[in-house]
Amino acid sequence: MPQGQPSVVPDDGLTTRQRRNRPLVVVHTGVGKGKSTAAFGLALRAWNQGWPIGVFQFVKSAKWKVGEENALRVLGASGEGGTVDWHKMGEGWSWVQRDIQGDNATNEEKAREGWEQVKRDLAAETYRLYVLDEFAYPMHWGWVDTDEVVDVLRNRPGTQHVVITGRNAPEKLVDFADLVTDMSKVKHPMDAGQKGQKGIEW
Amino acid sequence: MPQGQPSVVPDDGLTTRQRRNRPLVVVHTGVGKGKSTAAFGLALRAWNQGWPIGVFQFVKSAKWKVGEENALRVLGASGEGGTVDWHKMGEGWSWVQRDIQGDNATNEEKAREGWEQVKRDLAAETYRLYVLDEFAYPMHWGWVDTDEVVDVLRNRPGTQHVVITGRNAPEKLVDFADLVTDMSKVKHPMDAGQKGQKGIEW
């Protein structure tokens, strides 16, 4: 993509510099591949800027995305770029003690607990980039209130970029977000009878 | 995405294992964001598998994607996963001596020279994953013959996965590819007068 010029200059009272540094809410949605993969690709850029990165994986199984997780852990520990904290719902969020919310918690409860932590981190400006992986689902299912998410994101302090992935991103979130990409499937090997394979699917 | 079952079982004489390990040609096209970013995200998985990775950037300027490049270089040198070779057209391909093809070479010549090296590497099975970034453009512009690309990819030896990114991926390539995702723009900050910013665009 060329660096290019914006197609319109908004009448928002901001300087170009202020506008340039405005923190973004990015949404990757659609039924195609690449939603999470592109989010983790974005994390590489954030890492290169030396930013602290927080990943919150809102998925039941912790099996997937081990490649991205291992890579970002190595990068975060390399001392050359930013730091990386990787939180997994599938293994029980790291900040939740087992005796408080154990294995009996429903996925709905777990998803909500994840969102509560994201809120705390946003308020504390813990990270500069948040990857809320598959977070579109709990919103879509009504487990987490989309109005509240938009409200929290709108009023977040400082310069905190937030990337949200998942199919069926709610309309209200899409309306609010700054950058929205729809990944649509043109062709997938499973259509031709091929199963997922290591190095490609995970 | 769930691991799932394929929707059909093809009558191709292959076992499930053979089919699972069939090397893929992946295309990320469309006018939206995330085509390259998702390709570099895929490279994280390949790196995690310990695969040798070759990146060929078919773009004039070497300015973009420094974040991904630095991250993959650190990963490649970490000794924990696969190796990464990063070749840039914008700085003159590393394997081309200045006195053979200097600054006077046209972008068309440079793109073609890049493809010649990809062919040599595919024949030698140098890498397990190839990221041919923005390679759709030289095909679209007719600098590199799409029929030849498809032919070379069809007959490549061993288990070599190839990811090609860029707008306007030629129909013949899309027809041949195993996995094709179209990234479409729903909303972009430049539409609202915002310029690209560090950590997000590069």
Side-chain angles (χ1 to χ4, degrees):
Chain A
M1 206 192 95
Q3 294 218 20
Q5 290 296 315
S7 47
V8 291
V9 175
D11 183 25
D12 55 10
L14 298 177
T15 64
T16 300
R17 188 182 181 84
Q18 285 171 326
R19 208 177 295 117
R20 178 187 279 271
N21 293 322
R22 196 182 55 180
L24 298 181
V25 171
V26 179
V27 173
H28 295 167
T29 190
V31 301
K33 305 286 291 180
K35 295 185 288 293
S36 300
T37 319
F40 295 122
L42 262 185
L44 299 184
R45 296 187 192 156
W47 170 85
N48 189 53
Q49 295 293 339
W51 296 355
I53 299 163
V55 177
F56 294 79
Q57 267 192 296
F58 285 85
V59 285
K60 223 165 59 175
S61 165
K63 225 174 130 182
W64 288 74
K65 297 164 193 169
V66 287
E68 292 90 328
E69 183 185 349
N70 288 345
L72 281 165
R73 281 192 197 281
V74 166
L75 287 172
S78 70
E80 294 199 37
T83 56
V84 180
D85 288 340
W86 193 289
H87 307 291
K88 291 195 264 195
M89 190 177 105
E91 292 187 355
W93 300 113
S94 54
W95 63 87
V96 180
Q97 288 179 25
R98 284 216 168 261
D99 53 341
I100 296 177
Q101 183 173 320
D103 299 330
N104 292 326
T106 64
N107 287 323
E108 180 170 349
E109 287 166 332
K110 288 179 188 169
R112 213 172 285 149
E113 178 51 47
W115 167 238
E116 290 301 321
Q117 182 62 34
V118 171
K119 282 200 283 183
R120 287 189 288 267
D121 282 327
L122 284 169
E125 301 186 45
T126 309
Y127 306 110
R128 184 92 182 254
L129 175 72
Y130 296 73
V131 178
L132 309 187
D133 191 38
E134 312 284 14
F135 188 51
Y137 293 92
M139 279 186 274
H140 176 66
W141 293 325
W143 294 354
V144 171
D145 182 42
T146 308
D147 286 329
E148 192 200 344
V149 172
V150 169
D151 192 56
V152 167
L153 292 178
R154 179 178 283 124
N155 296 303
R156 73 195 187 281
T159 307
Q160 303 182 87
H161 302 282
V162 180
V163 183
I164 296 172
T165 76
R167 294 188 188 191
N168 301 120
E171 196 66 27
K172 285 173 184 172
L173 177 70
V174 168
D175 287 345
F176 172 70
D178 303 289
L179 195 163
V180 181
T181 305
D182 184 279
M183 275 72 169
S184 56
K185 183 178 81 165
V186 177
K187 195 193 277 187
H188 193 283
M190 285 190 195
D191 300 337
Q194 185 163 5
K195 290 188 176 183
Q197 59 183 307
K198 70 175 180 184
I200 299 293
E201 302 283 342
W202 65 87
Chain B
M1 201 188 102
Q3 295 218 23
Q5 290 294 317
S7 45
V8 292
V9 175
D11 183 24
D12 55 11
L14 298 176
T15 65
T16 299
R17 188 183 182 83
Q18 286 170 323
R19 208 177 294 117
R20 177 185 279 271
N21 291 323
R22 195 182 57 177
L24 298 181
V25 171
V26 180
V27 173
H28 295 166
T29 191
V31 300
K33 304 287 292 179
K35 295 184 288 292
S36 299
T37 319
F40 295 120
L42 262 184
L44 299 183
R45 299 188 191 154
W47 170 84
N48 189 53
Q49 295 293 340
W51 296 354
I53 299 164
V55 177
F56 294 78
Q57 267 192 296
F58 285 84
V59 285
K60 221 163 62 174
S61 165
K63 224 175 130 182
W64 289 72
K65 296 161 194 170
V66 287
E68 292 90 327
E69 183 185 348
N70 287 344
L72 282 164
R73 282 190 195 282
V74 166
L75 288 172
S78 70
E80 294 198 38
T83 56
V84 180
D85 288 339
W86 193 289
H87 306 291
K88 290 195 264 195
M89 189 177 104
E91 294 186 352
W93 301 112
S94 54
W95 65 85
V96 180
Q97 289 179 24
R98 284 218 167 260
D99 55 340
I100 296 176
Q101 185 173 321
D103 299 329
N104 291 326
T106 65
N107 287 321
E108 181 170 350
E109 286 166 333
K110 288 178 188 169
R112 212 172 285 148
E113 177 52 46
W115 167 239
E116 290 301 320
Q117 183 62 35
V118 171
K119 282 200 284 184
R120 288 189 288 266
D121 282 327
L122 284 168
E125 299 186 46
T126 309
Y127 305 110
R128 184 90 182 254
L129 175 72
Y130 295 72
V131 178
L132 308 188
D133 190 38
E134 312 285 14
F135 188 51
Y137 293 92
M139 277 187 274
H140 176 65
W141 293 326
W143 294 354
V144 171
D145 182 42
T146 307
D147 286 330
E148 192 200 343
V149 171
V150 169
D151 191 58
V152 167
L153 292 176
R154 178 177 284 122
N155 295 303
R156 70 194 188 282
T159 307
Q160 304 182 86
H161 302 282
V162 180
V163 184
I164 296 172
T165 76
R167 295 189 187 189
N168 302 121
E171 197 65 29
K172 285 173 184 172
L173 177 71
V174 168
D175 287 346
F176 172 70
D178 303 288
L179 195 164
V180 181
T181 305
D182 184 279
M183 276 72 170
S184 57
K185 182 179 80 166
V186 177
K187 194 194 278 189
H188 192 284
M190 285 191 196
D191 299 338
Q194 185 163 5
K195 291 187 177 187
Q197 59 182 305
K198 68 175 182 183
I200 299 294
E201 301 283 343
W202 64 87

